[in-house]
Amino acid sequence: MKAFQTICRQLRSSKGFSVEPTTRVDFSTSSYSCSRKKKVNPYEEVDQGRYSDLVQSVLSSRGLAQTPESLFEEDNLLYGPVSKCKPPKQDEAAKVPGNWCPLFNPEKSMKPNATSTPTIPLRIPLQRNTIPSVTKVLQQTMTSEQIFYLERWKQRMILELGEDGFAEYSSNIFLQGKRFHKALESILSPQGDLKERDENLESGYVESVQHILKDVSGVRALESAVQHETLKYVGLLDCVAEYQGKLCVIDWKTSEKPKPYIRNTFDNPLQVVAYVGAINNDANYSFQVQCGLIVVAYKDGSPAHPHFMDTELCSQYWAKWLLRLEEYTKKEKNQNIQKPD
């Protein structure tokens, strides 16, 4: 070891040996340099004290279980207190019409005999008089909600089509519905023109109801007027015929939107049941009807939606119709009182 130390001292003292630091060599080009600036961490600019308190509070609450009470308090803080609806009053929920009249007439037979069944469907013209129509009663007694949605739809259509465009659209819808009813009248009538029937088959609406027409037979009335002799209202029904073996008032409707449920047809069930009650109390009709059918047809030919109304369902809507009729009568009476002499 001493010998090694002696050799090292001799080497350092010799002139030909020196220990110098290595010279740094940089490689560079005209467009790039190997030396890069140190990246700045964006989190260094964050308030570390507040950030650490936040992380600690989140981590410390992870293990806490939520309870219904804590969830309710959290929702109350975020969204505000819950607004509870008032329950309906008992008198409104169980409102009974004061103008009660039975839907079915005990004096008429439920099953007419062969001699009373007409071979040609009845077509009684509608007489214009002071007696209100079913359509007028329903229009004059719409709820505020119905009026709101109807007006909103109208304004949206006017905004999209303009005043003239909306008027033309409404006219076209009316004409399409009228042609559809004429086509069905020609198809269901034994006196219909065969050429006209073939032309009507090309209609999308008629194509839409083909699977319904297969179950329709025994047509008793077409585009015929009815009048309830006791309740004093009139109407013009589309058809009375057997559907799957049951005699029904059939109401043909057109729609641009699918209506797969009866609730989608709005006041149409009230209209149908009003016609049922009128037929059963109209001396022009020797038979009695217990059921209804609403058929919603589509222009593109897609299968129509049939909504069958049995005796029980008709009875439920009959009570609602009587309330609407009673409301209309009261409005008319009040308006007559307020009119100056």
mmCIF file of all heavy atoms in Angstrom, residues 93 127 147 187 232 252 285:
data_model
loop_
_atom_site.group_PDB
_atom_site.id
_atom_site.type_symbol
_atom_site.label_atom_id
_atom_site.label_comp_id
_atom_site.label_asym_id
_atom_site.label_seq_id
_atom_site.Cartn_x
_atom_site.Cartn_y
_atom_site.Cartn_z
ATOM 1 N N ALA A 93 -113.330 15.080 -7.091
ATOM 2 C CA ALA A 93 -112.961 13.720 -7.499
ATOM 3 C C ALA A 93 -114.194 12.869 -7.782
ATOM 4 O O ALA A 93 -114.178 12.007 -8.640
ATOM 5 C CB ALA A 93 -112.098 13.075 -6.413
ATOM 6 N N GLN A 127 -129.955 18.398 -39.691
ATOM 7 C CA GLN A 127 -130.756 19.617 -39.769
ATOM 8 C C GLN A 127 -130.094 20.706 -38.922
ATOM 9 O O GLN A 127 -129.822 20.506 -37.742
ATOM 10 C CB GLN A 127 -132.182 19.347 -39.257
ATOM 11 C CG GLN A 127 -132.922 18.258 -40.009
ATOM 12 C CD GLN A 127 -133.212 18.645 -41.453
ATOM 13 O OE1 GLN A 127 -133.360 19.828 -41.777
ATOM 14 N NE2 GLN A 127 -133.292 17.651 -42.336
ATOM 15 N N ILE A 147 -106.623 24.156 -24.096
ATOM 16 C CA ILE A 147 -106.539 25.399 -24.862
ATOM 17 C C ILE A 147 -105.098 25.855 -24.990
ATOM 18 O O ILE A 147 -104.660 26.305 -26.058
ATOM 19 C CB ILE A 147 -107.400 26.489 -24.200
ATOM 20 C CG1 ILE A 147 -108.875 26.087 -24.223
ATOM 21 C CG2 ILE A 147 -107.199 27.833 -24.888
ATOM 22 C CD1 ILE A 147 -109.784 27.026 -23.456
ATOM 23 N N ILE A 187 -116.596 2.607 -49.996
ATOM 24 C CA ILE A 187 -116.184 1.214 -49.795
ATOM 25 C C ILE A 187 -117.214 0.435 -48.992
ATOM 26 O O ILE A 187 -117.529 -0.720 -49.305
ATOM 27 C CB ILE A 187 -114.810 1.177 -49.099
ATOM 28 C CG1 ILE A 187 -113.728 1.729 -50.021
ATOM 29 C CG2 ILE A 187 -114.451 -0.229 -48.649
ATOM 30 C CD1 ILE A 187 -112.386 1.926 -49.344
ATOM 31 N N LYS A 232 -131.103 16.969 -25.690
ATOM 32 C CA LYS A 232 -131.138 18.046 -26.685
ATOM 33 C C LYS A 232 -129.763 18.407 -27.230
ATOM 34 O O LYS A 232 -129.257 19.505 -27.031
ATOM 35 C CB LYS A 232 -131.813 19.296 -26.090
ATOM 36 C CG LYS A 232 -133.210 19.074 -25.543
ATOM 37 C CD LYS A 232 -134.166 18.600 -26.632
ATOM 38 C CE LYS A 232 -135.584 18.396 -26.095
ATOM 39 N NZ LYS A 232 -136.504 17.854 -27.109
ATOM 40 N N TRP A 252 -113.835 7.477 -37.733
ATOM 41 C CA TRP A 252 -112.595 7.418 -38.501
ATOM 42 C C TRP A 252 -111.807 8.710 -38.305
ATOM 43 O O TRP A 252 -112.343 9.802 -38.527
ATOM 44 C CB TRP A 252 -112.891 7.211 -39.990
ATOM 45 C CG TRP A 252 -113.797 6.065 -40.300
ATOM 46 C CD1 TRP A 252 -115.117 6.129 -40.608
ATOM 47 C CD2 TRP A 252 -113.440 4.678 -40.329
ATOM 48 N NE1 TRP A 252 -115.632 4.878 -40.834
ATOM 49 C CE2 TRP A 252 -114.611 3.953 -40.668
ATOM 50 C CE3 TRP A 252 -112.258 3.970 -40.110
ATOM 51 C CZ2 TRP A 252 -114.642 2.578 -40.801
ATOM 52 C CZ3 TRP A 252 -112.295 2.593 -40.235
ATOM 53 C CH2 TRP A 252 -113.452 1.910 -40.569
ATOM 54 N N TYR A 285 -133.702 5.433 -35.154
ATOM 55 C CA TYR A 285 -132.881 4.224 -35.129
ATOM 56 C C TYR A 285 -133.591 3.172 -34.284
ATOM 57 O O TYR A 285 -133.836 3.376 -33.086
ATOM 58 C CB TYR A 285 -131.498 4.528 -34.559
ATOM 59 C CG TYR A 285 -130.717 5.528 -35.393
ATOM 60 C CD1 TYR A 285 -130.868 6.904 -35.158
ATOM 61 C CD2 TYR A 285 -129.868 5.107 -36.396
ATOM 62 C CE1 TYR A 285 -130.175 7.825 -35.923
ATOM 63 C CE2 TYR A 285 -129.164 6.031 -37.168
ATOM 64 C CZ TYR A 285 -129.334 7.387 -36.934
ATOM 65 O OH TYR A 285 -128.651 8.304 -37.701
#
